[in-house]
Amino acid sequence: MAWTSRSQMVWPSHAWWYAMLAIVLLAAGLRYPGYDFSLPYIDHVDEPAYNLAARMVIDFGSAKPLGMHGYPPGIITVHLLLERAFQNPDQPPSTILWLARLLSITISVMTVLLIGLLGYRVATPLAGLVAAWLWAVSPRVVEHSRFATADPYVTFFAVLALFWAISGTLHDRDRWTSWGVFASMMAVVFKYQAIVIAPIALLIPLWRLRFLPDRRRVLVNFGYNLLVLALFGFWLVAIYPATEAHESPDWSAASNKLSMPSVEILLRNLTQSVLHPVNRNLIWQVGAL
């Protein structure tokens, strides 16, 4: 089947995987060489906060003295595991930052593959390859993928949630829809704002009610996913101190209400984060000739 037409195959062809492998290798080549940028000095302001919070949990059982006890536990856990396994007690915890950055880069490279698969699933094989290539070479994405922060993980799990939810809907796989909900919960574990992905991953599979005769099975699957998501929400609010996240230093998210960015902010972010980096990209300039 031509790459410019919609594929009905569950997974792409061998030729598509070969092309995606080339894109993934390109993404890795752009990211891994910069893993030690600025080290031993720390360039990103968030890296020392997660690094020290993990060390404090190891030493004292809680990061509350730093105000990080209510912060999303995902990225702190990543630092904690690396510090337990590889940090020399005679040296500062920041000595493992290069390892944490390597993990971030690996997650970022895997996201390139996921974006390609998502494009393949919702559009065409060629669309998936183009989307993956754009994410692989975008200067802003490459820059931020090197830091040991939560952003690469949030992006990965958010895309993974959408991929499994849409895949389970199009191919009627209950297990895949559940995986989408689990992935959305993992995104929330790394950043609370990712909670907007959870209802999307939960509701997309209900589209199957329009064309499947076995509606009871679809509703039972929805009920199971809803129960799992509700239990996760209960743990997050009632057991884990997520409501105290605003005590973290430089906490920038709204803690008392949900709000939508204005049109002006959306346009500014689009210009600064997407259009300007693309315009400065030599590949685009050569392609326009």
Side-chain angles (χ1 to χ4, degrees):
M1 182 175 294
W3 281 10
T4 54
S5 64
R6 177 65 181 271
S7 174
Q8 299 300 321
M9 297 172 58
V10 177
W11 300 109
S13 65
H14 288 89
W16 188 93
W17 284 108
Y18 293 145
M20 178 55 65
L21 176 61
I23 295 174
V24 168
L25 291 176
L26 171 64
L30 291 174
R31 287 161 171 75
Y32 279 109
Y35 79 95
D36 58 350
F37 173 75
S38 79
L39 297 179
Y41 304 101
I42 300 175
D43 181 75
H44 198 290
V45 295
D46 289 340
E47 286 181 318
Y50 307 141
N51 189 253
L52 292 175
R55 186 68 249 178
M56 187 164 287
V57 172
I58 294 174
D59 293 338
F60 306 107
S62 173
K64 191 167 186 176
L66 277 179
M68 297 286 288
H69 57 291
Y71 198 87
I75 188 60
I76 296 176
T77 302
V78 170
H79 281 262
L80 184 150
L81 293 175
L82 291 175
E83 289 175 25
R84 278 191 178 277
F86 301 106
Q87 183 206 345
N88 185 338
D90 296 330
Q91 297 185 7
S94 60
T95 54
I96 59 91
L97 268 180
W98 67 277
L99 286 171
R101 286 184 176 183
L102 286 177
L103 282 180
S104 293
I105 292 173
T106 302
I107 290 293
S108 178
V109 171
M110 293 171 62
T111 302
V112 173
L113 172 60
L114 273 181
I115 289 176
L117 286 171
L118 182 60
Y120 168 85
R121 188 71 78 214
V122 301
T124 65
L126 179 59
L129 292 176
V130 172
W133 181 80
L134 289 174
W135 195 261
V137 302
S138 175
R140 185 63 62 89
V141 175
V142 173
E143 176 186 358
H144 286 275
S145 66
R146 297 187 179 113
F147 295 115
T149 64
D151 296 337
Y153 297 88
V154 176
T155 305
F156 173 81
F157 285 113
V159 177
L160 183 63
L162 294 177
F163 172 74
W164 282 127
I166 294 173
S167 298
T169 301
L170 294 179
H171 296 282
D172 190 26
R173 306 288 181 89
D174 289 342
R175 183 176 299 179
W176 289 2
T177 66
S178 299
W179 290 352
V181 172
F182 294 146
S184 70
M185 292 189 295
M186 287 299 300
V188 175
V189 165
F190 280 90
K191 186 163 287 188
Y192 295 146
Q193 292 91 325
I195 192 65
V196 298
I197 299 296
I200 297 175
L202 177 69
L203 294 175
I204 285 178
L206 288 179
W207 183 256
R208 294 180 294 170
L209 292 173
R210 291 177 57 89
F211 55 86
L212 288 181
D214 189 5
R215 295 186 175 183
R216 182 179 180 277
R217 176 176 58 83
V218 175
L219 292 175
V220 168
N221 175 246
F222 171 79
Y224 169 78
N225 292 338
L226 179 61
L227 176 62
V228 171
L229 192 59
L231 291 174
F232 171 74
F234 176 80
W235 168 79
L236 198 64
V237 175
I239 300 177
Y240 188 81
T243 56
E244 301 176 22
H246 62 279
E247 297 182 14
S248 304
D250 301 320
W251 179 254
S252 57
S255 57
N256 57 355
K257 63 180 180 180
L258 293 175
S259 60
M260 294 296 293
S262 65
V263 175
E264 179 184 359
I265 292 176
L266 289 174
L267 291 177
R268 184 170 68 245
N269 290 342
L270 175 65
T271 301
Q272 294 177 351
S273 301
V274 179
L275 299 182
H276 284 176
V278 167
N279 289 337
R280 291 195 299 266
N281 194 333
L282 180 61
I283 297 178
W284 280 98
Q285 297 174 12
V286 172
L289 295 178

